[in-house]
Amino acid sequence: MEYSNHPARQYQNCIAVAVPLFLVATAVTAIQYKIPTIMVPVMQQFGVGAYTASWLMSIFTFVGIVFSLPVGVLARRFQPKRIILAAVGLACVASLAGAFAQSVILLLATRALEGVSLVCIIACGPIVIQQGVDPGRRGTASGIWMLGGMIGATLAGVTTPMLYAWIGFSGLWLAYAAFAAVAGVVLAVVVRTPAADGGESRAVRDDQPFRERFKGEYGVFAKPNTWAFYLPFGIFQILLLSVLSYAPTSLQQQGMDASLSGFVSTLPMLIAVVSSVAFGALSDALHRCKPLFVVGMLAMALCTPVLLTFSGAPLWIAVVAMGLLAMGVPTVAISAYPSILGDPKLMTVGMGVLMLVQSVGQFLGSLVPASLLGPDLSQWTLCAAVLCGLGLVGTVSLLACKFR
């Protein structure tokens, strides 16, 4: 492994850090998305209806809302790499328990534990990159790491039905647990835990009153500029989940085959294999994230209504544009976030806050369209207009936010 010197610490090669994190993210995301493509047989096996079965996926969003902030606090007290390794272990144990679950309540409990694991990994991954990768290469490392979520979802969608038919329910759960365990071992062996940076000093002295110390350390989270950053990030999650959740229904109502509609709605995630890495590399080369974030947010605002209301050529143009431009947003958002917070020590708690924003956005992404479309899912123009307006609000907020 190659290292570059830094006055305070030695940084590890960005690829050596990013690839193990990518593998872990891929494995645990695959665990998250192993349910949707086998939802019907799982419902039959456990004798439950669609509403109860839907919680096997919804529990991940709920867990994210509840545990994001506590995980951020834990990351400040414990080494983030160790938290990720513990989270991988938790995912493996939960999957092992789920493999032999005899009731849907137990299965739901194991899914909640898997959700806690995912929250820990998403919250701590950027901190490991910040600690171990040279600042000039963090965008590239973030781009590679962010691919884990996209590849994991796609991998689960492709392999889960085949594995289920081949080795059954228990075998499927055990296979994903084994994948996570291997990824955890790679991370433990390859990624080095950085030495503590002795050059850092506390921003606020411990002998100050608690109120002043709290304001000095965490006041940035109450600043308008910080919320001008959180708002578009949350809106991006709303738009993304709206497309993933409701575009297939809209396309099927227009006569598209169910399989093709699912492919169209997830195609931007596949194209993101290119855009995520490209946006990360561009942010490193330009030393700027804001222009890329603005372009991506605007593309998301304009493409989302097209995917919910159009078919034919406009639909395919919007799908490609969303994949190439909008899906690079998570990478540049993570890369820009440290400059929003200012103090590197705040990244631990800060990632917990950012994951809370993401979880709330994803929750609203399933709630807002449902309330707009009506009980018969027919008000697509109204839904598309509101979501487009939200996206434009997020773009304006980004333009007002001060960061590079």
Side-chain angles (χ1 to χ4, degrees), residues 2-7 9-13 132-135 137:
E2 297 178 2
Y3 292 80
S4 60
N5 291 326
H6 183 274
R9 62 165 65 106
Q10 285 186 320
Y11 289 118
Q12 196 169 356
N13 182 284
V133 177
D134 185 272
R137 300 289 288 169

Side-chain angles (χ1 to χ4, degrees), residues 5 30 34 39 53 57 87 89 117 122 137 145 157 159 170-171 184 243 253 272 303 323 345 364 378 380 384:
N5 291 326
K34 64 191 175 187
M39 183 72 78
M57 280 300 297
S117 172
I122 293 175
R137 300 289 288 169
W145 173 71
T159 62
S170 296
V243 169
Q253 289 183 359
C303 292
K345 296 191 295 297
L364 292 176
S378 61
W380 292 104

